């Protein structure tokens, strides 16, 4: 292969390689190694500890699916919290919803937001909206302190390593439950069904014990391991499969549609087996 390539070692036996045009920025933040590179096929790409977080070319698959599924499930979401997500992609999607009065971003690493503002304007463009509040703190601590505050909570976190480990724990989900309003709901990115089956099964079981409604849905994310990604949803009242589409807002999107929302909950047998296994 000619030229300079970046390879993410996605599993011990699998790498995803992208050809680079140039490295735009590289630094060690207090939390992680951060790089922004320009790729040939996906445009600009954000790396944290050599793991692909997002690319301009495929970010909309992920950001639209993690945001609009919960926001359209709630009939009138006014307050939303994003944990992680310092690139701003989820915030950009949240503020498309006319009912939103306040969107809070809780990101542990201020350098992610600063670099997204400088190098990823297509993704971070919503961060200056008047409804958005940005707090640089640990999302685990934030939900511990909140009660009856949010309609929707979205956990857009790094993989369960380092500061994100606690974002995948049952204790965290119980605190999320408390931080939600009485009819609130939450979604978290929960990794690859091909490579993280046991993690997904454990999370779904934890959620089923805490929330009356617990569901798994899937979407394609080309740059994440395996290309198929999972999202886990816990809801106090509203079922994501019973959205009244006549009342849902008209959204300008590139991936998400009501039919894709419904279809995302249809699980292939190999994923259903992950959930059913004892
Ligand atoms: N929008 C897709 C990008 C991400 S980045 C996830 C963010 O979570 C990072 O900026 C990281 O700094 C932040 N983060 C990690 N732990 C915490 C925490 N405890 N509190 C608040 N923020 C945190 C998701 C990429 C998914 C990659 C899948 N392979």
């Amino acid at each position: 292969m000619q030229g300079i390539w970046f390879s993410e070692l996605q599993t011990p036996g699998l790498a995803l390689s992208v050809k680079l045009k140039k490295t735009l920025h590289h630094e060690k933040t207090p939390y992680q190694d951060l790089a922004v590179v320009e790729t040939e096929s996906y445009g600009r790409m954000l790396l944290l500890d050599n793991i692909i977080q997002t690319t301009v070319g495929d970010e909309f698959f992920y950001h639209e699916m993690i945001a609009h599924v919960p926001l359209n499930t709630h009939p009138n979401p006014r307050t939303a919290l994003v944990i992680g997500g310092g690139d701003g992609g989820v915030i950009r999607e949240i503020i498309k919803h006319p009912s939103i009065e306040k969107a809070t971003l809780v990101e542990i690493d201020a350098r992610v937001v600063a670099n997204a503002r400088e190098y990823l304007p297509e993704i971070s463009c919503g961060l200056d909206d008047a409804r958005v509040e940005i707090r640089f703190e640990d999302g685990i601590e934030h939900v511990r302190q909140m009660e009856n505050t949010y309609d929707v909570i979205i956990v857009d976190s790094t993989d369960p390593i380092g500061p994100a480990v606690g974002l995948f724990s049952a204790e965290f989900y119980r605190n999320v439950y408390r931080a939600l309003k009485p009819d609130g709901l939450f979604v978290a990115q929960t990794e690859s069904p091909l490579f993280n089956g046991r993690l997904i099964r454990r999370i779904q079981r934890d959620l089923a014990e805490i929330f009356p409604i617990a569901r798994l849905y899937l979407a394609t994310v080309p740059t994440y391991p395996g290309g198929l990604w999972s999202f886990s949803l816990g809801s106090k009242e509203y079922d994501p499969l019973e959205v009244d589409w006549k009342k849902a807002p008209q959204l300008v999107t590139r991936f998400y549609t009501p039919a894709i929302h419904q279809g995302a909950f249809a699980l292939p047998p190999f994923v259903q087996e992950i959930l059913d296994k004892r």
Side-chain angles (χ1 to χ4, degrees):
M1 297 197 289
Q2 293 203 328
I4 297 170
W5 290 70
F6 165 80
S7 292
E8 176 185 330
L9 194 58
Q10 296 192 324
T11 78
L14 175 73
L16 178 75
S17 300
V18 285
K19 192 171 184 181
L20 300 187
K21 284 189 176 163
K22 62 178 170 195
T23 298
L24 298 164
H25 182 74
H26 185 203
E27 71 175 89
K28 293 234 187 278
T29 78
Y31 296 95
Q32 47 214 344
D33 181 281
L34 182 157
V36 185
V37 296
E38 178 87 39
T39 73
E40 263 194 34
S41 303
Y42 287 127
R44 290 184 177 188
M45 178 166 94
L46 172 67
L47 300 169
L48 294 177
D49 292 334
N50 287 316
I51 294 173
I52 300 171
Q53 304 298 305
T54 195
T55 82
V56 168
D58 79 337
E59 55 85 11
F60 59 99
F61 290 65
Y62 174 88
H63 291 134
E64 292 182 12
M65 288 302 284
I66 201 172
H68 300 310
V69 171
L71 288 162
N72 272 345
T73 297
H74 195 295
N76 186 31
R78 292 186 293 148
T79 51
L81 167 68
V82 180
I83 293 176
D87 53 67
V90 178
I91 288 286
R92 183 197 63 206
E93 296 307 312
I94 289 175
I95 59 176
K96 289 180 180 174
H97 288 254
S99 63
I100 287 289
E101 292 164 6
K102 187 160 179 208
T104 306
L105 180 77
V106 173
E107 161 65 59
I108 204 167
D109 191 342
R111 296 302 303 156
V112 175
V113 174
N115 279 287
R117 284 188 193 280
E118 178 155 1
Y119 296 105
L120 307 169
E122 306 90 336
I123 303 176
S124 61
C125 53
L127 292 174
D128 292 322
D129 188 279
R131 292 166 289 174
V132 176
E133 181 197 6
I134 305 178
R135 304 171 69 123
F136 297 116
E137 38 184 71
D138 186 338
I140 300 166
E141 272 308 308
H142 183 83
V143 297
R144 205 174 273 153
Q145 290 156 14
M146 293 293 151
E147 216 173 304
N148 191 14
T149 307
Y150 299 107
D151 293 315
V152 173
I153 296 178
I154 297 173
V155 185
D156 177 17
S157 76
T158 38
D159 303 323
I161 339 173
V165 172
L167 295 171
F168 292 79
S169 74
E171 187 199 349
F172 172 71
Y173 301 141
R174 280 192 288 273
N175 290 332
V176 164
Y177 184 96
R178 230 175 355 98
L180 286 167
K181 296 216 174 119
D183 61 349
L185 71 150
F186 109 104
V187 168
Q189 75 86 356
T190 49
E191 307 285 310
S192 157
L194 267 175
F195 302 120
N196 307 98
R198 282 170 53 191
L199 175 75
I200 293 171
R201 183 187 321 142
R202 202 265 298 150
I203 291 170
Q204 284 290 316
R205 284 185 189 171
D206 287 346
L207 293 185
E209 282 182 13
I210 299 165
F211 289 87
I213 299 167
R215 295 201 190 279
L216 187 74
Y217 66 94
L218 304 174
T220 299
V221 184
T223 52
Y224 288 176
L228 179 71
W229 211 244
S230 81
F231 302 86
S232 290
L233 183 149
S235 178
K236 294 189 182 183
E237 187 171 328
Y238 307 115
D239 188 333
L241 289 171
E242 279 161 29
V243 176
D244 183 352
W245 292 109
K246 293 186 294 297
K247 294 192 183 141
Q250 293 290 316
L251 302 168
V252 179
T253 54
R254 290 201 287 159
F255 188 88
Y256 177 92
T257 68
I260 286 174
H261 171 128
Q262 295 284 145
F265 291 87
L267 301 180
F270 92 92
V271 179
Q272 192 58 52
E273 268 168 33
I274 291 172
L275 301 182
D276 293 344
K277 207 164 157 189
R278 287 166 43 87

